[in-house]
């Protein structure tokens, strides 16, 4: 006898259980290429802020106006998240990858038309185009990891995808102070800026061409049981609006969204204002200011990789996230009280400790969100996390900048410490509802015992 099944329940489980799960060799090329053009885009985000004083003098504008070149990335992301996330769900990875890499290259070429002191509006336009590209990039790491990688390597893949963004910020701190020295002659300064802009445009164009050749929608076979279950769901059954509403009713995800925004917003503010902080205490040290930023990001990349490997092996998402958050707070407090001691080597050490945890937290947030919200789209959950980060990033950058102008750098950094403390307390209240891991376990059981497939799937549906 054939018994009729309710839509979206055992039939999907059976389809997922019988689907062939296989890893594609192309997965590493996809994640490394994504990481590369994400690197190029994040480099363009911080290339102005890392030599804020140089661009302030070249264009004859205020330091706050140059800060807005960085904050434009945050501002643009907020209204465009939902349209881009909808495109990701409806049209897939390839279209999003092409749009992101194309806009990134276009913005880089526009900046080459701003090599005169009176052309600041042109450089603003180029930066806005690059900020549009970022909307197609920032929420992608967890989605690429889930679509292309197996359950035992998904957190590591997400860390590698985030790596590119962090390495780009690191290069944005290191390269501009070297390529654009703080010389008095405006013509020479324009020449040095043109070299940086030409190199960036050339790299962005080459990466766009590679994306056209290499980037694919998804592998031929699902890489995990959880992904097979998602792919077995009929397209018409998925409602993007309902998905967002379910996410906003998920209390654990809402807590994570706020805490992620607080931590990442502090990182954005610190990165944007780092040049001003260091130059205030160590005049003429533009190059070392960039190296301190480099230290923050490189140590954070090590932290991100270690945390990704650790999560793949232990699946201790809640515990790891809480520990990293606490250490971010400790690192920020230590950095705050050592910045003004007059010893640059101390600043390098404390900044490295801060970066290891604060920057290392970024992929943790993406992966924890993917666990808490399965089977919702990773692009949507990551996008909401990033909207929170952009909102807090703008608020913290403006707020800390004003506090620094009025009361000094220590007061500005204590302002960030207070919000990191709030985020630590809120993180402690997030429950470890690991739905994606449970789906993988349930589907493994379904594969071995087909007759027992009904209850696990009903349980998963009831959680939503």
């Amino acid at each position: 006898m054939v018994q009729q099944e309710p839509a979206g329940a055992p039939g999907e489980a059976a389809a997922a259980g019988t689907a062939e799960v296989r890893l594609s060799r192309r997965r590493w090329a996809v994640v490394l290429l994504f990481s590369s053009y994400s690197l190029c885009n994040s480099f363009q985000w911080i290339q102005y802020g890392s030599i804020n004083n140089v661009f302030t003098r070249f264009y004859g504008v205020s330091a706050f106006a140059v800060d807005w070149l960085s904050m434009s990335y945050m501002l643009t992301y907020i209204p465009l998240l939902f349209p881009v996330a909808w495109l990701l769900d409806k049209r897939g990875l390839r279209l999003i990858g092409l749009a992101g890499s194309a806009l990134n290259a276009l913005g880089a070429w526009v900046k080459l038309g701003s090599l005169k002191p009176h052309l600041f509006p042109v450089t603003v336009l180029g930066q806005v185009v690059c900020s549009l590209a970022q909307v197609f990039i920032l929420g992608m790491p967890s989605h690429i990891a889930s679509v292309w990688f197996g359950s035992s390597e998904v957190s590591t893949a997400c860390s590698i995808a985030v790596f590119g963004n962090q390495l780009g910020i690191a290069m944005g701190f290191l390269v501009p102070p070297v390529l654009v020295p703080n010389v008095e002659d405006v013509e020479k300064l324009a020449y040095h800026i043109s070299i940086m802009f030409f190199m960036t445009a050339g790299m962005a164009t080459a990466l766009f061409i590679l994306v056209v050749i290499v980037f694919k929608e998804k592998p031929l076979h699902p890489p995990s049981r959880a992904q097979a279950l998602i792919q077995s769901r009929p397209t018409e059954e998925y409602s993007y609006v309902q998905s967002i509403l379910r996410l906003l009713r998920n209390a654990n995800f809402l807590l994570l969204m706020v805490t992620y925004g607080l931590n990442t917003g502090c990182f954005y503010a610190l990165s944007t204002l780092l040049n001003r902080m260091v130059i205030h205490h160590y005049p003429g040290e533009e190059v070392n200011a960039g190296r301190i930023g480099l230290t923050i990001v490189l140590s954070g990349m090590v932290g991100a990789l270690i945390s990704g490997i650790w999560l793949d092996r232990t699946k201790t998402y809640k515990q790891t996230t809480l520990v990293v958050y606490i250490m971010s707070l400790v690192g920020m407090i230590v950095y705050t009280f050592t910045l003004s001691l007059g010893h640059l080597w101390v600043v390098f050490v404390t900044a490295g400790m801060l970066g290891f945890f604060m920057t290392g937290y970024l992929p943790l947030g993406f992966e924890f969100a993917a666990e808490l919200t399965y089977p919702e789209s990773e692009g949507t959950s990551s996008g909401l996390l990033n909207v929170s980060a952009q909102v807090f990033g703008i608020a913290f950058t403006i707020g800390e900048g004003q506090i620094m102008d009025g009361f000094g750098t220590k007061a500005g950094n204590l302002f960030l410490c207070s919000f990191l403390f709030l985020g630590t307390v809120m993180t402690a209240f997030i429950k470890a509802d690991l739905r994606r891991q449970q789906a993988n376990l349930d589907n493994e059981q379904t594969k071995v015992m087909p007759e027992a497939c009904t209850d696990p799937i009903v349980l998963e549906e009831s959680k939503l």
Side-chain angles (χ1 to χ4, degrees):
M1 290 193 302
V2 178
Q3 189 174 14
Q4 188 174 3
E5 299 166 341
E12 290 180 18
T18 58
E20 182 180 0
V21 173
R22 186 190 300 176
L23 294 176
S24 168
R25 292 180 181 178
R26 185 186 287 265
R27 70 191 188 282
W28 295 110
V30 169
V31 75
L32 289 174
L33 181 56
F34 168 79
S35 193
S36 297
Y37 74 79
S38 177
L39 177 157
C40 186
N41 183 257
S42 60
F43 173 85
Q44 296 194 77
W45 167 60
I46 204 64
Q47 68 181 164
Y48 294 100
S50 62
I51 47 174
N52 182 295
N53 58 322
V54 175
F55 279 108
T56 297
R57 187 166 59 82
F58 179 74
Y59 286 118
V61 296
S62 67
F64 187 61
V66 176
D67 287 343
W68 268 109
L69 290 174
S70 295
M71 288 190 284
S72 66
Y73 265 56
M74 308 174 203
L75 189 64
T76 306
Y77 188 88
I78 298 168
L80 294 179
L81 158 70
F82 294 112
V84 172
W86 179 84
L87 269 179
L88 176 62
D89 287 325
K90 294 298 183 182
R91 301 296 298 272
L93 283 173
R94 179 170 169 81
L95 176 66
I96 299 300
L98 288 171
S101 55
L103 287 168
N104 188 54
L106 177 61
W109 284 109
V110 169
K111 291 178 185 180
L112 279 165
S114 67
L115 296 173
K116 297 288 184 181
H118 65 282
L119 293 176
F120 183 70
V122 178
T123 215
V124 170
L125 175 62
Q127 188 74 341
V128 169
V129 174
C130 290
S131 73
L132 293 175
Q134 180 220 210
V135 185
F136 292 86
I137 295 172
L138 208 55
M140 294 279 282
S142 59
H143 192 80
I144 289 176
S146 293
V147 170
W148 283 89
F149 287 84
S151 59
S152 64
E153 56 190 16
V154 66
S155 295
T156 303
C158 184
S159 295
I160 293 173
V162 172
F163 243 44
N165 186 274
Q166 300 308 305
L167 184 57
I169 297 172
M171 293 180 66
F173 278 120
L174 178 66
V175 175
V178 175
L179 290 181
V180 188
N182 193 8
V183 296
E184 293 297 325
D185 187 281
V186 174
E187 291 298 324
K188 288 184 178 179
L189 195 54
Y191 170 74
H192 290 299
I193 293 172
S194 72
I195 291 175
M196 179 173 69
F197 285 172
F198 266 117
M199 289 174 61
T200 308
M203 178 183 293
T205 303
L207 288 170
F208 169 66
I209 293 170
L210 286 174
V211 169
V212 173
I213 298 169
V214 174
F215 236 67
K216 299 296 181 185
E217 185 77 22
K218 60 184 178 180
L220 289 175
H221 304 281
S224 67
R225 294 290 163 194
Q227 192 60 213
L229 184 61
I230 289 175
Q231 292 183 13
S232 68
R233 179 175 56 192
T235 305
E236 62 272 11
E237 183 184 315
Y238 181 78
S239 168
Y240 179 67
V241 174
Q242 289 300 315
S243 174
I244 294 175
L245 292 176
R246 283 193 296 269
L247 289 176
L248 295 179
R249 288 194 296 264
N250 185 328
N252 291 317
F253 175 72
L254 288 178
L255 279 173
L256 180 63
M257 188 169 75
V258 174
T259 57
Y260 182 90
L262 291 170
N263 191 303
T264 310
C266 287
F267 170 70
Y268 287 162
L270 185 68
S271 300
T272 302
L273 301 171
L274 183 65
N275 173 266
R276 290 169 60 183
M277 290 184 201
V278 175
I279 296 301
H280 176 76
H281 293 288
Y282 306 91
E285 293 286 357
E286 290 90 357
V287 174
N288 274 322
R291 289 171 180 167
I292 291 169
L294 174 71
T295 302
I296 291 174
V297 178
L298 288 182
S299 60
M301 290 170 63
V302 175
L305 182 60
I306 291 174
S307 63
I309 295 172
W310 174 259
L311 287 181
D312 277 334
R313 292 185 177 181
T314 67
K315 308 303 180 187
T316 53
Y317 289 87
K318 163 68 179 294
Q319 299 92 320
T320 305
T321 301
L322 182 58
V323 168
V324 169
Y325 218 116
I326 292 171
M327 294 308 298
S328 297
L329 172 60
V330 172
M332 189 68 203
I333 293 172
V334 173
Y335 171 80
T336 297
F337 287 97
T338 57
L339 179 62
S340 59
L341 293 181
H343 302 290
L344 267 174
W345 70 268
V346 175
V347 181
F348 273 97
V349 172
T350 57
M353 184 181 77
L354 171 63
F356 183 85
F357 294 105
M358 181 178 279
T359 315
Y361 171 82
L362 302 183
L364 280 177
F366 283 148
E367 280 303 290
F368 198 10
E371 290 291 337
L372 293 174
T373 61
Y374 178 87
E376 308 300 341
S377 167
E378 295 86 358
T380 307
S381 61
S382 297
L384 288 171
L385 291 186
N386 283 319
V387 163
S388 176
Q390 312 308 319
V391 171
F392 284 114
I394 292 172
F396 290 168
T397 302
I398 295 174
E400 185 180 17
Q402 296 299 312
I403 292 172
M404 283 170 52
D405 290 340
F407 303 98
T409 56
K410 184 175 292 185
N413 285 328
L414 286 174
F415 169 76
L416 297 185
C417 289
S418 65
F419 285 100
L420 284 175
F421 175 75
L422 175 63
T424 301
V425 174
M426 293 180 70
T427 300
F429 288 96
I430 301 175
K431 294 181 181 178
D433 181 16
L434 307 183
R435 301 180 179 186
R436 185 172 62 181
Q437 293 305 315
Q438 188 62 44
N440 279 318
L441 290 174
D442 289 347
N443 277 286
E444 285 298 327
Q445 294 171 3
T446 301
K447 186 178 179 183
V448 177
M449 298 181 296
E451 68 277 6
C453 71
T454 304
D455 292 341
I457 301 301
V458 170
L459 176 64
E460 283 301 309
E461 291 293 327
S462 69
K463 288 181 181 178
L464 299 179

